[in-house]
Structure formats: C-alpha cells, structure tokens
Amino acid sequence: MPDAIRHLTLSHVVLPLDNPVSDAKVLTGRQKPLSETVLLFVEVLTEDGHRGMGFSYSKRAGGPAQFTHLREIAEVAIGQDPSDIAKIYESLMWAGASVGRSGVATQAVAALDVALWDLKARRADLPLAKLLGAHRDSCRVYNTSGGFLQAGVEEIKEKATASLEAGIGAIKIKVGQPDWRTDLDRVAALKDHLGDVPLMVDANQQWDRARARRMCRELEQHDLVWIEEPLDAWDAVGHADLSRTFDTPIAAGEMLTSVGEHMALIDAGYRGIVQPDAPRIGGITPFLRFATLAAHAGLALAPHFAMEIHLHLAAAYPTEPWVEHFEWLAPLFEEKPEIRDGRMWVPDRPGLGFTLTQRMRDLTKETASIGRP
C-alpha cells in the first residue's frame, strides 16, 4: 500500500525584526517601514510516520490571508500519496480556484508544497538538492540585509565589512530614492569601500522607464553584478528593453506569483537575471517548472530571500547562481547555513536540512490541525 498524508499542522507565525528597515517604496511614500515578517509553516505527517516541514511568508500584508486560505483547502491533501506532489498541488489549486492561481492563493499552497518536497527528500535520506539533482555543493552568496535605505553610508560600510568577514562574497544595497543623485553618491561610496568585491543594487520598482534608462546609464561605470527591479515588477516589456540595452545585467521577478507572470519576461525578450521566489511563485513545484524554462532561455538565476529553501534549488540550476543571505529567519531554525569563501554550502542533512526551534513555537499566533493526529 502506498503511504498517505495523515495530518497537517498549520502555524501562523509573526517574527519581529530587531530594527525596522526601509527600501525605496518607503521613501516614495508607497509603503510603511518593514518591522516584521509573517510566516505560514506547514508540518506534514504520513501514515508511515514520515514528516516534512515547509513555509511561506509575507511582508507588510497577506500573512493572515495565507493561513486562512490554506486552512480552508488543505483537507483535500489528506489521504493522498505524499509522493504525488504535482497531483496534490493541482488538487489544492482547484480547491481554491475561485480566488485565482496567483497571489495569496499560490503563496498559501507554497508552504505545503515545500513541506512535501522536504518530506520526500527526508524519506530518501538525501538533501533536497541531491534529490533534485545538484550541479554543485555550494552557491555564491551575497548579503542584502545590511544595505537598506534607513542606514547611512558609514553604517552600510560597517555591515558590509562584517558580512565579508563572515564569509559572504558580495553585497547588495538599496537605491531608488526620490533624489537620484543621492543614490549615485551612495553607490560610488560603497564601490570605493568594497574595491573588487561584487556589488549589486536594488531599486525596488521605484523608477519609471525614463528614469530607469538614465540611472542604468549612470551606473554602468561601476561594473555592478546587476541592477534589480528598476521598474514596476509587472513591466515585462520595460525590463526586457533595459536588459537588451545595457551591459549591466537587469534582475527581476521576485514579486511575481505564478509561472505565467514569470514567462511574460521571457516572452518579452528578457535577457537578464531571473529571481523567482519559491514561496511566492507557489512552491518548489512551480519554481522547478519555471527554472527549466529559464535555463532553456539561457537566463542566470538568483532566487529571492528564503535561503533555507533556495540554496537547494539554486544548487540544482545548470548555470552558476547566486543565493541571497538574510539572517532574519535564523531564530526559527535550529541549524545555520554554512558560509565560507564567499559561498553558502548545501547541508548534508536530509530534506531542507532545517528543524524548527522553540522560538518559532513561541511566536506562533494561531495553529490549525487538519486530518487525523
């Protein structure tokens, strides 16, 4: 008899940041400073006693909606064979079809999808990257958390130096301020401080097409690894145009919440770096679907946030990727990723290689128990 999903535990977790951070969306008045990350955790138990853990997340809004949506539809997974991940994914999407196939709907399902992949790799006694078919045992890693706009240049320099001393290989800072000259001054100062260390910048969607072209032209001199989200995230044509115009690569895709939205970039002739986010695109199952298409199109990969998941997915990508380092989720996991020599190393533990802490339990605001304990 095949195994079957017996029980699901859903947890709504609110993780406060030690210090609120601001990107360009805050300085342009479109959003408030980010003070917490809200997560949806799913723990799976099967009839044969196998377990898996996965998560999704939201920033500023959407966390309660993710929890509520998955609690409403997750019953359809009970009794299904946990090996049939794609089939389960489709059944969940059909169960919630009235709210669509992107946004909160996919982000809610993502947590369960990730948990099933974690379970499958744990049952095989393999790290997830090895189960998928790894191309490498480590990935280039860059830090973002020290480069937000509420911090002055000297503070960013100090944090960048600390990141490099911790073994991280590259630094990303935020741009997109109302005064574009301030952006250029900050980039020049960090480039001078870092020397040959790779540097990326992220405008968080705050330029229009005219300003983006001017800024990309000004930034060419700094030999950046990439310029991220210079335009609205859904402006596939604009991002494609920039990617074909400038030598500095254009990075985009972190905000997109379906394979179709990501494919709009490729269909528009995009030649940049794609940044799919597994919890946002709907989980590992749709992430892998898009990654295959992106690799076929010859695009580089740099998944957004959630390094605990994306380390494995990046390690399985054909060409050399980047992984984004954020320490924000560290209180939720017993283990820490190994970082040295500018790279993050795939753990040799089965599955994702991470287990939940008591701190995660303490931060849980609500749980839902589905199926038979």
Side-chain angles (χ1 to χ4, degrees):
M1 288 286 294
D3 199 1
I5 297 173
R6 173 177 174 174
H7 184 261
L8 302 172
T9 301
L10 281 54
S11 300
H12 173 61
V13 177
V14 179
L15 174 65
L17 300 184
D18 292 336
N19 298 292
V21 298
S22 296
D23 58 23
K25 299 187 295 293
V26 176
L27 273 65
T28 56
R30 288 172 168 165
Q31 289 186 344
K32 62 183 180 180
L34 180 64
S35 60
E36 63 187 24
T37 302
V38 180
L39 300 105
L40 168 60
F41 280 91
V42 174
E43 296 166 88
V44 181
L45 173 65
T46 74
E47 295 289 355
D48 290 347
H50 297 292
R51 296 179 182 270
M53 177 276 295
F55 67 91
S56 186
Y57 73 92
S58 63
K59 298 175 181 177
R60 296 184 176 91
Q66 289 181 19
F67 177 82
T68 300
H69 183 68
L70 186 59
R71 180 177 59 187
E72 185 176 14
I73 65 172
E75 181 69 31
V76 303
I78 300 298
Q80 295 203 54
D81 186 336
S83 295
D84 297 336
I85 300 177
K87 177 184 175 184
I88 294 170
Y89 182 85
E90 292 300 323
S91 69
L92 289 165
M93 295 309 297
W94 276 111
S98 64
V99 296
R101 291 177 175 264
S102 63
V104 168
T106 50
Q107 293 163 6
V109 171
L112 177 50
D113 184 81
V114 172
L116 292 175
W117 280 101
D118 178 57
L119 185 155
K120 193 168 192 174
R122 288 192 193 194
R123 188 176 56 198
D125 198 29
L126 290 172
L128 177 60
K130 294 292 186 181
L131 180 75
L132 297 175
H135 286 268
R136 58 195 63 83
D137 294 325
S138 64
C139 298
R140 296 177 296 182
V141 60
Y142 69 97
N143 177 263
T144 295
S145 58
F148 280 82
L149 292 178
Q150 84 287 340
V153 171
E154 293 306 313
E155 180 181 344
I156 294 176
K157 287 180 181 179
E158 292 176 4
K159 290 181 176 179
T161 297
S163 292
L164 298 176
E165 290 175 349
I168 294 170
I171 302 296
K172 187 174 81 178
I173 65 170
K174 301 291 186 173
V175 294
Q177 301 185 81
D179 185 348
W180 57 271
R181 289 172 289 253
T182 303
D183 283 332
L184 296 179
D185 290 344
R186 285 163 69 96
V187 172
L190 263 294
K191 187 65 178 176
D192 181 66
H193 176 71
L194 294 172
D196 293 332
V197 173
L199 176 66
M200 305 85 159
V201 302
D202 182 358
N204 287 109
Q205 312 177 64
Q206 296 309 292
W207 296 329
D208 60 24
R209 288 186 178 183
R211 174 54 59 198
R213 290 177 71 87
R214 293 187 179 103
M215 291 300 290
C216 287
R217 188 173 295 111
E218 292 283 350
L219 291 168
E220 289 274 63
Q221 63 182 302
H222 294 300
D223 192 28
L224 300 173
V225 180
W226 69 66
I227 299 168
E228 184 171 332
E229 283 194 326
L231 301 169
D232 183 278
W234 286 268
D235 187 357
V237 171
H239 280 112
D241 179 60
L242 293 175
S243 75
R244 296 191 302 265
T245 301
F246 296 99
D247 291 336
T248 304
I250 304 299
E254 70 174 61
M255 297 299 299
L256 306 181
T257 60
S258 69
V259 174
E261 290 175 1
H262 283 80
M263 280 304 299
L265 287 167
I266 295 178
D267 292 341
Y270 181 69
R271 296 292 181 268
I273 299 170
V274 288
Q275 299 182 298
D277 181 319
R280 280 184 175 160
I281 198 175
I284 292 172
T285 298
F287 184 104
L288 294 175
R289 292 174 184 172
F290 175 66
T292 298
L293 299 168
H296 179 71
L299 301 179
L301 179 78
H304 169 254
F305 199 63
M307 62 188 182
E308 295 82 4
I309 299 170
H310 290 137
L311 172 59
H312 293 273
L313 305 184
Y317 196 69
T319 58
E320 182 70 34
W322 286 92
V323 170
E324 185 171 28
H325 176 268
F326 269 93
E327 70 281 0
W328 292 354
L329 305 187
L332 307 177
F333 302 109
E334 293 287 356
E335 301 83 5
K336 304 295 183 288
E338 180 184 358
I339 298 173
R340 55 182 167 84
D341 303 324
R343 304 182 71 84
M344 185 180 295
W345 296 77
V346 175
D348 57 9
R349 301 178 296 274
L352 294 175
F354 295 94
T355 51
L356 300 175
T357 62
Q358 183 58 46
R359 177 69 171 151
M360 174 268 177
R361 308 293 179 190
D362 295 340
L363 292 168
T364 298
K365 303 301 182 182
E366 186 177 4
T367 62
S369 178
I370 299 170
R372 184 166 53 84

